[in-house]
Amino acid sequence: MSGETKAPPKQPAPGIGATVGYPSDHNVVYDKVDPQAPDAVKFTLNGKEVFGRRGESILEVCEREGTYVPHYCWHPALSVAGNCRLCLVEVEKVPKPVISCQTHIMPDMVVKTDSELAKSCQEGMMEFLLVNHPLDCPICDRGGECQLQRYSMEYGLDTTRMADKKRKFIKPQADPLIDIERNRCIMCTRCVRFCDEVGGEHVMGAFDRGNGTYIGTFGQGPVSNIFSGNVIDLCPVGCLTSKPYRFKARPWELRQTQSTCSMCSSGCKVTYWTRNGRLYRTTPPSRHRHDHFTINEDTVEFICNEGRFGSDYSQHEGRADEHMVKRGGSLSPTTYEEATKTAAEALKDVIAKHGAQSVAVLVSPMATLEEGFLARNLAKEVIGTPNVDWRSSFANTAAANAVSRALAAADGDLQAHPGALVVVNGNPVAQSPVLALQLQELARRFDIPTVMIGHHHDAYIGAHATMAFHCELGKTGDALRALAGAIAEGGSADGLGGLLAPVGDASVDSLVDLLKNTANGLLVHGLEDYAGAYAPLEVPAAVGLRRALARDWGYLPVVGGRNAVGLHAAGVEPDAEGLAATGVLAAIAEGKVKGLLTVGTDALLNLRDQKGLAAAIDKLDAFVTIDLFRSDINDRADVYLAQTAQIENDGVYADIQGNLALLKQAEEPQGDARPARQILTTLGRLLGAETFGHMDAEEAWAAVRAVIAPDSSITLRHLEIEGSSNDASYHTVGTRGGARTRAKRFNPGNFRDDGLQLRRLDGADADQPMDYQAPAVPAGDGPILVWGPHVSGKGYIANRAAIADILAPKPWLEVNRTDAARLGVAVDHFAIVSIEDKRAKVGVKINDGPAPGTVYLSAGTAGPFDAAAFPGPVRVKIEGLAEAVPDQGKAITDEDEKAAIGSDPTER
């Protein structure tokens, strides 16, 4: 490609030991080798003729062929360090044993993994690794899941010759989530390489030298990235363990339930570990390893900290487990039968007095497909109102409609191997972290050309971008439209110079050449900056650009709602004459809506106008809510129906790529709480539709499937993933893990060819301009504040995790590096941000994320200063402080987070 700016191959951060590159880009489990392929290499493995690919290591071929070679430091998603030496094997005509993870296969080589020499090497290395290891297995949280424990039995000696004192380290207390026992460390450096390469932050390293070498964090600070909890699973010994789970249970005491996370649209598969019906921990899916189901130390199914540590919200003290009706101005407990009967009568009265269209039904984006489908049918077919919606978190009705347009035009995912990535706006690492991880992996590990375009770039993905371009705030749509024109036959790039500002050595000509000459790619579009206030301008332009590209390109819009794709596909949105969620409060104030039914109160608490919410609720004739928790809003309800939490429920979710996943009940429902599916079915029948709905999960899914995917025969059993349970119904059909989560070649063990992918492709007019006036950028000299959501930010569900305060992101202000000196701020220092009378003390990050003249702040992170309170762009005043953020910026004190409105920062 002429003039293309190509980034050098991505390398891990320095200081992590020997590195020889990454494992090959093939799936080491399922991608069989074609013996006739030009890169096929034939050799002998333990007396058997096998084939590998040129450039593969011996260990990779052994993994694929089912020949297990013990290893500690090698991991399929990390660079090769080659420092544990446990994977030594014998190769004929080679004078000494070789480490199989670092030795590439060669034609006609003869490899022996089970020879006397190989076994002797394994015994010797195990003896060496156990020299300093303490014998504290009975009190170690890794007991029963420890590779070192297992290998010492299978490959080690039954005696020790160690007579000297073992080395000892003082135990640090660096991280609130991860416990570090340095005495147990075997220096595999998996944790270091994970933080460098996957986590995106160089926060861990090997310190000192020789016998005194140890793993630690810089400045004794915490492991400050949203994926840090994965080092617990990757650690092959008991060095890194979970603090929230510490000393609570043994793995053999816990029941495993394979399910899916409900926190964001990444849709990760997870295993819930429970005892007596209560959750103890959440991990990536356990796999059949070493003859039983356990944590897979070689997993590439990483999950974020919010899904790992924040999924215990169902046990929050504010949980309501009984149904209530209002008597004498306050809610009083009652039976399920009386509560549902009262709710139905209240809705009937509203319909009789004001008509069916005076009722609105709002649905949480965390609702399952079955719950959304039943809520839609209850509203449109039983009540007779078109006012049903899940899109309450967006800035206005136009923004919500733009999101629906985008989802209707979405035809891209990571199933197909993209030749290039174009990421437009948004901050995926904060709103859909594991999706961002997958995109970063494509750019970093597989060197896929990656382009960043817009007023804000995700710095996590952008660190590995091939080229990046900034747009002025509100001009991204114009830039995308001009880019589509330049790509068209006979088009010119002349008009792009004033719309796209290159970052670094990027050039507009290189961008146009890349897009013209790439046959297949993926356009990823973040929609939630300013709650989608600019989406009506950007979505038609982005869809237009997608259609101007080659036929095999795809479009992937990104929102954070867990089941946004599923609820859109199920039609949980208003008709043309219906009322969108964003207009409900105004309609209540005008007297157009008199009855309100909410399925999950976060559907109300996501609304942008929270100031008028309570006053609007008080004007209703009937307010019925189905929810988990008591709250100020729920206490205003006429009828409160206690709902089971997601972890207590069965159902189906779709992730942002349209892949279906099974939500499987792991905890026992509390009190008289019922699944929303059953509550909606009861209400429908009490409202007069005697055969309405489905109490059983399988029947409800069959009804949904018959409408949205009539040609499919996928049952709930087909969506189960391989796992272990005391209940025989949990055993999987087939041998591969559930619905797909990333491209087959990138994800060993979690891919299903017969999994259903859900799309509602009816976006024929999605590229047509919308009649919309975007929020104006106010005049002034200060930088413009841009904000977007964060999966761990303050919110209805996130606030109710047991360690919500630890998980909540600290207030970080992203500043463009060209603006830093002008604004007087320094990296990892504090600054005071002021808007009118609101002030907050925040840490500073300097990168190429925000466009020049803008700064970025995640919503709900800076105490009383909540960026989300401002529906559009505002200008801010920034005062740099000569004060370094402690512990790499994560240990900001409560006083810092509670920076008082209008207070003098010098007093804090």
Side-chain angles (χ1 to χ4, degrees):
M1 278 173 269
S2 62
E4 179 181 344
T5 301
K6 185 69 173 177
K10 309 301 181 299
Q11 296 295 331
I16 65 169
T19 300
V20 295
Y22 296 99
S24 64
D25 62 349
H26 296 285
N27 184 303
V28 298
V29 178
Y30 297 122
D31 283 355
K32 297 296 183 182
V33 179
D34 181 0
Q36 305 302 319
D39 64 343
V41 176
K42 181 178 73 172
F43 69 103
T44 302
L45 175 63
N46 293 339
K48 175 186 175 184
E49 187 179 273
V50 298
F51 288 88
R53 299 179 182 84
R54 188 178 296 110
E56 282 189 318
S57 69
I58 295 173
L59 181 53
E60 288 180 283
V61 178
C62 289
E63 286 280 309
R64 183 170 59 245
E65 295 296 326
T67 301
Y68 190 81
V69 177
H71 57 274
Y72 285 126
C73 67
W74 182 84
H75 188 280
L78 304 177
S79 59
V80 179
N83 54 15
C84 79
R85 294 303 199 258
L86 191 61
C87 66
L88 286 165
V89 298
E90 181 182 357
V91 177
E92 286 189 4
K93 299 182 181 180
V94 176
K96 60 181 180 179
V98 301
I99 51 174
S100 59
C101 68
Q102 204 174 50
T103 304
H104 291 180
I105 58 175
M106 297 182 66
D108 301 321
M109 74 188 314
V110 178
V111 178
K112 299 176 182 178
T113 68
D114 56 0
S115 66
E116 288 302 318
L117 176 60
K119 291 179 179 179
S120 175
C121 290
Q122 292 163 2
E123 287 181 353
M125 285 310 304
M126 280 303 303
E127 184 178 25
F128 175 75
L129 291 169
L130 286 166
V131 160
N132 284 305
H133 197 81
L135 296 178
D136 57 358
C137 297
I139 63 166
C140 178
D141 263 337
R142 198 68 173 182
E145 297 173 325
C146 177
Q147 251 180 305
L148 187 69
Q149 194 178 55
R150 182 168 57 248
Y151 284 176
S152 66
M153 301 285 287
E154 297 177 357
Y155 304 102
L157 299 171
D158 58 0
T159 58
T160 178
R161 295 180 289 174
M162 178 64 176
D164 299 327
K165 288 184 178 181
K166 299 188 178 189
R167 66 177 184 176
K168 294 182 179 179
F169 295 99
I170 297 174
K171 179 178 176 178
Q173 293 294 339
D175 193 279
L177 299 173
I178 303 168
D179 194 75
I180 302 179
E181 291 278 4
R182 289 173 178 158
N183 297 327
R184 301 172 183 162
C185 182
I186 61 169
M187 294 302 300
C188 69
T189 69
R190 278 186 169 199
C191 55
V192 178
R193 285 174 286 144
F194 177 86
C195 290
D196 284 346
E197 300 164 18
V198 179
E201 295 187 7
H202 188 50
V203 294
M204 298 190 75
F207 297 85
D208 214 326
R209 62 182 64 185
N211 189 53
T213 305
Y214 64 91
I215 292 294
T217 58
F218 296 99
Q220 299 299 314
V223 185
S224 53
N225 67 73
I226 198 170
F227 304 110
S228 65
N230 291 286
V231 301
I232 296 168
D233 306 321
L234 295 183
C235 182
V237 296
C239 176
L240 303 176
T241 55
S242 168
K243 277 189 177 178
Y245 172 66
R246 187 170 170 80
F247 299 146
K248 287 189 175 179
R250 291 298 194 180
W252 57 83
E253 300 173 334
L254 302 178
R255 173 179 176 177
Q256 302 175 37
T257 302
Q258 307 287 12
S259 189
T260 184
C261 180
S262 60
M263 295 301 186
C264 78
S265 60
S266 292
C268 303
K269 308 301 181 297
V270 296
T271 294
Y272 293 125
W273 301 71
T274 59
R275 184 172 66 187
N276 297 327
R278 287 294 171 261
L279 180 70
Y280 275 72
R281 67 172 178 174
T282 303
T283 68
S286 58
R287 295 300 184 193
H288 196 263
R289 304 279 291 178
H290 316 289
D291 298 324
H292 65 293
F293 282 90
T294 183
I295 290 175
N296 178 10
E297 67 276 359
D298 291 336
T299 187
V300 296
E301 299 168 291
F302 303 126
I303 62 176
C304 76
N305 287 352
E306 184 67 23
R308 179 185 296 272
F309 299 112
S311 52
D312 62 351
Y313 58 85
S314 63
Q315 301 174 31
H316 187 266
E317 60 184 7
R319 177 74 187 275
D321 59 2
E322 55 188 357
H323 312 285
M324 292 173 279
V325 297
K326 183 172 288 186
R327 297 190 180 100
S330 62
L331 291 174
S332 300
T334 187
T335 63
Y336 175 71
E337 290 73 18
E338 182 183 354
T340 50
K341 182 180 178 181
T342 303
E345 290 174 350
L347 293 174
K348 283 180 180 178
D349 286 345
V350 170
I351 295 169
K353 292 178 181 178
H354 307 286
Q357 291 199 350
S358 67
V359 177
V361 179
L362 299 186
V363 180
S364 165
M366 292 180 68
T368 65
L369 261 166
E370 297 87 346
E371 291 165 355
F373 184 74
L374 287 170
R376 179 242 180 233
N377 289 351
L378 178 67
K380 295 187 176 183
E381 298 176 7
V382 179
I383 296 175
T385 178
N387 307 326
V388 57
D389 204 0
W390 65 272
R391 306 165 303 167
S392 57
S393 63
F394 298 101
N396 48 51
T397 300
N401 290 338
V403 169
S404 294
R405 276 200 188 192
L407 295 176
D411 58 358
D413 55 40
L414 296 178
Q415 182 66 17
H417 183 70
L421 291 170
V422 177
V423 182
V424 179
N425 280 334
N427 196 24
V429 74
Q431 67 185 91
S432 194
V434 173
L435 174 67
L437 186 155
Q438 295 170 11
L439 296 172
Q440 184 253 34
E441 184 178 53
L442 290 173
R444 168 185 60 84
R445 180 176 167 191
F446 300 103
D447 209 23
I448 302 299
T450 301
V451 181
M452 310 291 290
I453 297 176
H455 62 253
H456 180 253
H457 301 161
D458 186 324
Y460 175 71
I461 302 170
H464 303 279
T466 309
M467 59 184 85
F469 301 87
H470 279 130
C471 304
E472 290 183 26
L473 185 63
K475 299 294 185 182
T476 302
D478 294 338
L480 297 179
R481 198 170 292 107
L483 190 56
I487 294 169
E489 185 175 355
S492 170
D494 293 343
L496 284 171
L499 293 169
L500 295 176
V503 178
D505 297 330
S507 73
V508 171
D509 289 337
S510 297
L511 172 61
V512 173
D513 284 348
L514 173 66
L515 298 184
K516 279 185 175 181
N517 292 285
T518 302
N520 69 311
L522 184 65
L523 177 60
V524 182
H525 187 192
L527 296 175
E528 292 191 304
D529 279 358
Y530 293 124
Y534 289 98
L537 302 180
E538 294 178 8
V539 168
V543 175
L545 173 60
R546 152 68 186 89
R547 292 174 178 172
L549 294 164
R551 180 177 61 87
D552 290 332
W553 275 73
Y555 176 57
L556 179 62
V558 179
V559 294
R562 175 59 181 95
N563 201 23
V565 170
L567 296 174
H568 169 75
V572 191
E573 296 175 4
D575 300 330
E577 67 277 10
L579 181 68
T582 51
V584 164
L585 295 190
I588 294 174
E590 296 170 5
K592 295 180 180 178
V593 169
K594 292 292 187 178
L596 181 63
L597 169 65
T598 62
V599 184
T601 307
D602 58 333
L604 273 177
L605 298 179
N606 285 338
L607 291 168
R608 310 315 307 166
D609 182 15
Q610 288 294 301
K611 292 181 179 179
L613 178 58
I617 294 298
D618 290 340
K619 293 181 179 180
L620 291 169
D621 290 353
F623 175 31
V624 178
T625 185
I626 302 171
D627 197 30
L628 302 174
F629 307 109
R630 295 290 297 270
S631 67
D632 291 341
I633 296 301
N634 284 340
D635 285 345
R636 298 173 183 270
D638 296 296
V639 181
Y640 176 95
L641 295 162
Q643 172 189 4
T644 53
Q646 279 70 17
I647 197 172
E648 301 165 353
N649 195 13
D650 292 320
V652 178
Y653 277 136
D655 67 19
I656 197 62
Q657 300 179 64
N659 303 314
L660 293 187
L662 180 64
L663 180 70
K664 196 72 175 175
Q665 179 184 340
E667 286 190 340
E668 294 298 324
Q670 295 190 22
D672 196 27
R674 308 288 180 97
R677 172 188 71 250
Q678 296 182 6
I679 297 173
L680 291 167
T681 295
T682 301
L683 288 177
R685 293 175 181 178
L686 290 173
L687 286 169
E690 296 181 359
T691 60
F692 177 79
H694 306 275
M695 294 291 186
D696 179 72
E698 185 71 69
E699 292 178 1
W701 166 242
V704 175
R705 192 185 67 229
V707 173
I708 65 177
D711 297 329
S712 171
S713 59
I714 300 294
T715 66
L716 295 185
R717 178 171 286 272
H718 287 109
L719 293 173
E720 290 182 354
I721 61 177
E722 186 180 21
S724 172
S725 171
N726 297 328
D727 185 342
S729 69
Y730 282 87
H731 289 295
T732 186
V733 176
T735 59
R736 301 185 185 182
R740 19 185 224 262
T741 57
R742 68 167 75 172
K744 178 180 179 182
R745 66 186 301 189
F746 301 152
N747 191 12
N750 195 27
F751 177 84
R752 179 186 284 283
D753 290 312
D754 60 356
L756 177 65
Q757 188 182 43
L758 184 64
R759 292 294 195 195
R760 185 185 176 187
L761 295 177
D762 57 358
D765 61 346
D767 58 348
Q768 298 303 307
M770 299 180 69
D771 184 14
Y772 178 69
Q773 184 65 42
V777 177
D781 298 326
I784 302 167
L785 177 67
V786 178
W787 61 267
H790 196 292
V791 67
S792 300
K794 303 295 183 184
Y796 189 61
I797 295 297
N799 288 358
R800 287 170 168 80
I803 55 172
D805 290 340
I806 296 175
L807 292 173
K810 303 305 179 184
W812 278 109
L813 186 73
E814 289 187 42
V815 180
N816 186 282
R817 63 182 75 252
T818 62
D819 293 335
R822 177 176 60 83
L823 296 173
V825 296
V827 64
D828 288 347
H829 278 59
F830 281 118
I832 300 297
V833 180
S834 307
I835 304 179
E836 299 171 353
D837 62 343
K838 295 182 174 63
R839 298 160 65 81
K841 187 177 181 180
V842 299
V844 175
K845 289 184 179 180
I846 298 175
N847 54 41
D848 292 322
T854 67
V855 293
Y856 185 89
L857 183 69
S858 290
T861 61
F865 176 87
D866 187 357
F870 304 96
V874 293
R875 291 194 180 270
V876 298
K877 179 182 178 182
I878 297 177
E879 308 165 53
L881 299 179
E883 179 184 349
V885 178
D887 294 343
Q888 301 171 339
K890 295 299 288 186
I892 298 175
T893 66
D894 289 342
E895 288 72 22
D896 293 328
E897 292 191 58
K898 297 174 182 177
I901 295 175
S903 66
D904 183 351
T906 61
E907 296 178 359
R908 294 192 295 275

